[in-house]
Amino acid sequence: MFVDSSHFPAADLSSEPCFCPQTEFNDKEDSLFFNDGVRRIDFILVYEDEDKKEFEKRHTFQRKKASLMKMGMELEATKSVIDEKLTFVKVHMPWDVLCTYAEVLHIKLPIQPNDLSSRPSPWRYLSCITKYFYPNEDLIRKEAEFFTAPFEKDRLDFFHVRDRDAFFTESMRSRMAYYILSRAPYEIRGSIKKFGITKLLDGGVYKAAYPLHDCRFNVKSKEEGCPNERFLLYQEWAHPKSFYKMQPLDLIRKYYGEKIGIYFAWLGFYTIMLALAAVVGLGCFIYGYKTQETSTWSKEVCDPEIGGKIVMCPQCDRECKYWRLNSTCEASKVMMLLLCFLLSPCLFFPAHFLPVVTLFLEFWKRYQAELEYEWDTVAFLEQEEPPRPEYEAKCLYERKNPVTGVKEKVPYTACGRCVRVSIGIGTVLFWILLIVASIVAITVYRLAAFFAFSARLRAQDLKELEPLKEYVTPQMATSVTASLISFVVIMILNILYERLPRTKTDYENSLTLKMFLFQFVNYYSSCFYIAFAKGKAVGYPGDPVYLLGKYRNEECDPGGCLIELTTQLSIIMGGKAIWNNIQEVLLPWVKNVIFRYCTRVASEKVIPRWEQDYQLQPVSKLGLFYEYLEMVIQFGFVTLFVASFPLAPVLALVNNLFEIRVDAWKITTQFRRVVPEKAQDIGAWQPILQGVAILAVATNAMIIAFTSDMIPRLVYYWSFSVYPYGKSSGHTMEGYINSSLSVFNTDDFSNFSMPIGKVPNMTTCRYRDFRFPPGHDRQYEYTMQYWHVIAAKMAFIIVVEHIVYLTKFILSYVIPDVPYAVKEQIKREKYLTQVILHETNLKLVSKRLKPVIDDALKVTDTINPKVLISPCKTSHPCWAET
């Protein structure tokens, strides 16, 4: 909705430069006040001296700066100590301005101490141990709890004001200062209005605008009364030595605002969920490692008398050679490590893990509700989050509000909105098609690379059919190189997509959905290809299936494509974590070092607080967007493919333990202070997480059924190893390899796919499928075992999906989103607000009107005497004639 700026204090658009007192730096490097030592600095503006510029440009810049400076805020300018061309304008918000904008922004402030007793912690009996995992309470003390209410300037007496200087916190003051600066018009031409510090920053009128850090991150301030909150955050949160401690969320919220606080609260909560999943996943992985040597499959593959005598058909045309099954011995052991994970009691780990994801999302809602109450964002309504200034500037068209019936201004007509939506959808589809094209290109590379590796890594005759290296098979070499290329392509496409022209005028939720859709296809498409497409439509050696009519489709390893999917996930997850840490840690640090080196001054010079902050990196316009995106993409890897990679929660846990401290270190030491923002929740990321969790149920069931070799093994074990299909007297896995590999007559190769070097005295080779052998009445058609396996796979998917979905929805229904104790406190606060801010005023009104009512009654009695009938059932006096 458009908000008319005329309701708020506006800037004087006079073209005459305003008077901004110029003062000399007083050599107090840690000072957060004007030179008088009384007025607190709430914001800093930096501009370059116009005397160094052309006259016309200088006049324009002065006029635009003047419009921002005449707003009721008090200003003081100081020349830079390092660069004489720079001037720092210190902005102070007087008490009346603070009160005005606290009411405009509906900021909640304390009205009465919280008299509700808090529930004792279940860990209170272990406090002697748990205290070491929490920030030092002597340094970061717990603040008193208050009931709060939206501030109203006319009812100031009802609020808990002990000290005017401390009534509004630093983050509140900075937020209000930025609100004023972001809505100050500097140029109006007809119906076109230009305003806001953001536009002036983009245009170069101002070099920077930021709130001040309260001290250096590693040294306490020398100023008396300085809270040193940045120093405390570094010591107890951002320092590597504090990696094992819980986060001081209340101090983070107080210093950086609710939006930063809710992000770190969510990241910490998500990491705790990963810790539980990582313990189970690691245990299952160890179980698989311990039992892999006892696997009948590995024994038969590696046995020279079994796997060494089975000759496999070439997996590409002409150049590929015949190869022995035992050449994949080491790869089969790794494969069995994963299959033992699925064939063990850990089979139900994915089925158990996905309801755990639901528990994580539901308990996060409860924890979020607690934070909403504690941080005063429970009733965070639309009017508390004003429209973006750029949005207001584009509001040129009128429409009738369907709710209020009042005319309001909007930026686009219905037709214009449709055009913008169409362009946005078209852009996203274009990039998705570009990703699909890259996947096709990588697939073609896989086919060509496998062709080349098969020709080089296989020998010329049966005596030299072993691979050149123990672990290097054509399948493994192709998988690793293709995964690396896929990762590089993913990162390049990310960089290109992020370079698209974009401003803050994009709706954040819309931007979130568009970017996630792109990233989802970009990161997961190659994994989905390996999991659900590779090796599924390959035909058989006598009649292979070709991609684009030219490239023969890829085949999986005799044990399935699971190991290739795991390789792909490992490379992408690991590479992404390394790349992100380089971007988030190394680049800002290097930029700051270079900047300090280029602007170094004599060691005896004292640099003021505002200039120290100017040397830090500016905060990104999109803020936490890419931090959330990084974690949600990781959440997708952990949940969507946990059945193929049980160590994914472990890797994600290790990464997140670093991520929390890296993000904390970054914003505390390398970046300017963030402008505090209000936030009730994690926004559009919540439904995205829920959507990923729902999709994860289907993907994991399909990975177990179609990508792994688990279902064919179980079908063989329970049905085809015994009578009437098998010869064994009891259920066994012996003979499974022979059962899962079909026979092909080498004379049935087509001229196009016939291997160049035919081996003497070899009439047949084997391939992975369930087909009748040559010479059978139904040769090369599917056997009964194939249809049993397909039926078992479909039944498995249906049963597992229904069980997990049912469990998921039951948990979602049973667990309330808001804890009972929080509901009680919210009701208590609403009651107190009503009593203090409304009933008191009603009593004052009644008291003032009582003399007027008495005088009116006397006049009425004189003119027309009446008596009051009592009692009366109505709420008004009942009169009757005497």
Side-chain angles (χ1 to χ4, degrees), residues 505-564:
T505 55
D506 291 316
Y507 292 104
E508 188 169 326
N509 288 353
S510 176
L511 176 63
T512 298
L513 186 59
K514 290 175 185 175
M515 180 61 85
F516 177 75
L517 183 60
F518 168 80
Q519 298 279 15
F520 183 92
V521 177
N522 194 22
Y523 276 106
Y524 303 141
S525 55
S526 59
C527 297
F528 276 102
Y529 164 75
I530 295 174
F532 307 123
K534 183 180 177 181
K536 302 301 184 292
V538 295
Y540 62 96
D543 185 22
V545 177
Y546 291 90
L547 177 66
L548 305 177
K550 180 179 179 181
Y551 299 99
R552 181 170 167 176
N553 277 3
E554 285 186 280
E555 296 182 31
C556 291
D557 186 270
C561 287
L562 201 60
I563 190 171
E564 292 188 47

Side-chain angles (χ1 to χ4, degrees), residues 413-430:
T413 61
C415 181
R417 184 175 180 82
C418 290
V419 171
R420 286 179 59 85
V421 171
S422 300
I423 293 174
I425 294 174
T427 303
V428 174
L429 290 177
F430 167 76

Side-chain angles (χ1 to χ4, degrees), residues 284 341-342 344-355 704 796 800:
C284 291
F341 162 76
L342 291 175
S344 68
C346 297
L347 162 63
F348 298 102
F349 172 61
H352 289 161
F353 176 73
L354 297 174
I704 294 174
F796 176 84
V800 168

